[in-house]
Amino acid sequence: MVLTACTNGGAPAASPSSAAPSAGPSAAAVVAPEQTRSALRAKYGIPDFADAPAPQPITLAGGDSVEYLHRIPTEQKVAFLTIDDGYLKLPEAQELIAAAGVPVTLFLTTDAVKDDPDYFRPLIDAGAVVESHTISHPNMSGKSYEFQRKQICGSADKLEGWYTRRPTLFRPPYGNKDANTLRAAKSCGMTAAFMWTETVHKGKVRYQGPKGVKPGDIILMHFREAFRADFVNALKAIHKAGLTPALLEDYMPPTAGPA
């Protein structure tokens, strides 16, 4: 299992003290005319994609715990790009996401976001959806149910306050979880919790199995210094596989809300 995302059991790769100031959204960070977006895609080498097919939501088991998914069980020619944490806030990341025009899911850590919540608004305007990644990015495995519930519910509450929509999906930091994690996530109104199938780090796509992105794969990257190379190469890997980026949330059944 590749855990280049966040070193297992360690601190997140970038700390709030090292985060670059965002300086607000650039002109290109808002949803731009297609002519401008095409020029930016050419500038960055971002491939063009056909529209994603109409999503076919999956069925999840019931019970008092959420399922923990490494990928989406679908035969549709789609893959899912997810971006974690939010410590480093590069204006270029805003421009890249707006230019690409593809759906992404942001699993945000609220302690990483709180210095500049507005940085992520242009990303949301460009089609990104914000989900929960805890308050302070702890290793959840082995922690008490009460601790984990506070991390998940508290994160969802804060993100809803900033961005109106309450998160319905959860990713545990480092991918580490236990039975308490999955029960706490369900009680906080989460539909499912997520691992990943591929990671991207310093521009290199790392596969957990045979090389190549497969339908339903979930790709993980972070808001880091190499954001440009990670984002572009993730999209190139999806394109090379003959797939289209799709929105993770579109493949989830409806949620009943927090317990």
Side-chain angles (χ1 to χ4, degrees), residues 21-44:
S22 69
S26 65
V30 297
V31 179
E34 181 56 35
Q35 184 178 9
T36 302
R37 288 174 54 199
S38 294
L40 287 170
R41 287 198 294 271
K43 169 187 172 182
Y44 288 118

Side-chain angles (χ1 to χ4, degrees), residues 127-159:
V129 177
V130 171
E131 300 293 1
S132 172
H133 195 43
T134 73
I135 296 171
S136 60
H137 208 279
N139 183 344
M140 300 285 266
S141 182
K143 301 295 194 300
S144 70
Y145 174 81
E146 292 75 18
F147 174 90
Q148 298 199 50
R149 192 174 191 278
K150 181 178 180 180
Q151 283 282 332
I152 301 170
C153 290
S155 168
D157 291 343
K158 183 66 71 173
L159 292 169

Side-chain angles (χ1 to χ4, degrees), residues 26 31 54 58 64 72 77 121 132 142 147 149 166 182 248:
S26 65
V31 179
I58 64 174
D64 64 354
I72 298 299
K77 292 185 178 300
R121 298 187 194 282
S132 172
F147 174 90
R149 192 174 191 278
R166 184 180 178 80
L182 303 184
L248 196 57

Side-chain angles (χ1 to χ4, degrees), residues 235-258:
L235 293 180
K236 286 181 175 179
I238 294 172
H239 189 268
K240 182 178 180 180
L243 306 177
T244 299
L247 188 64
L248 196 57
E249 288 76 4
D250 286 346
Y251 283 75
M252 294 294 103
T255 178

Side-chain angles (χ1 to χ4, degrees), residues 79-84 103-107 169 171 194-198 200 217-223 234 246 248-249:
F80 306 91
L81 183 57
T82 64
I83 312 175
D84 279 15
V104 297
T105 298
L106 312 180
F107 286 102
L169 307 182
R171 172 172 280 153
F194 291 88
M195 184 68 173
W196 50 82
T197 322
E198 289 89 27
V200 193
D217 279 3
I218 299 171
I219 301 174
L220 166 67
M221 58 173 287
H222 290 76
F223 288 95
L248 196 57
E249 288 76 4

